[in-house]
Amino acid sequence: MWSDKAAPVRSVIDKFNDRMSQIYSPTEHLTIDEMLVEFHGRDSFRQYIPSKPGKFGLKLFWVAEAESAIPLKCLLYIGESTLSAAEKEEHGGHVPALVMRLLSPYLDCGR
C-alpha cells in the first residue's frame, strides 16, 4: 500500500509540472482556476460536485497564462492533506496557501 494515495496520478502531474517549467516561459499575466476531470474509479480523493456535468472526478487547480490559456502548473486536490498545517498557518488559511504553492515558481519574477 502506498503512503501517498495519489502516487500513480501524482507522478504524471509532477512530470507535467517539471516539463512545463523547462520548456515554457510565461508572460507576466497569470491566472488560477480549478477543474473537475471526470473519473468514476475508486479512490479516496475523488470529489463529488453536483453542479458539474461530470459529477464525480479528480479536482485539479491550475496556473495558466492569461492570454493564451497555456497551463503551467497543476495541483491535485486530495482533501485536507493537500496542504500541510504549517502552510495553512503561515499563509492564513487553505485558499491563500493553495495560491502561494501554485504561484511559488513565479513570485518575484515581475508577474
Side-chain angles (χ1 to χ4, degrees):
M1 181 162 184
W2 291 306
S3 60
D4 179 10
K5 295 176 184 177
V9 179
R10 188 176 312 284
S11 65
V12 173
I13 291 172
D14 289 344
K15 286 178 186 177
F16 172 83
N17 290 339
D18 291 341
R19 190 70 179 139
M20 282 305 292
S21 66
Q22 293 171 1
I23 65 171
Y24 190 75
S25 179
T27 62
E28 61 188 24
H29 301 287
L30 303 176
T31 186
I32 296 177
D33 199 7
E34 67 180 38
M35 72 181 293
L36 185 74
V37 177
E38 191 172 350
F39 178 71
H40 294 280
R42 294 171 56 174
D43 61 44
S44 62
F45 52 89
R46 183 178 61 164
Q47 298 289 304
Y48 172 70
I49 303 176
S51 62
K52 299 286 186 178
K55 299 187 184 326
F56 291 94
L58 304 178
K59 189 174 184 179
L60 302 171
F61 294 95
W62 291 94
V63 173
E65 189 177 49
E67 290 97 15
S68 64
I70 294 174
L72 303 170
K73 186 174 180 182
C74 178
L75 179 65
L76 174 65
Y77 181 76
I78 56 172
E80 284 296 315
S81 61
T82 302
L83 300 167
S84 69
E87 282 179 300
K88 293 176 195 172
E89 186 176 323
E90 178 184 351
H91 298 295
H94 184 78
V95 174
L98 180 75
V99 169
M100 293 304 288
R101 175 162 315 163
L102 284 169
L103 292 178
S104 62
Y106 308 107
L107 295 176
D108 300 324
C109 297
R111 295 178 174 87

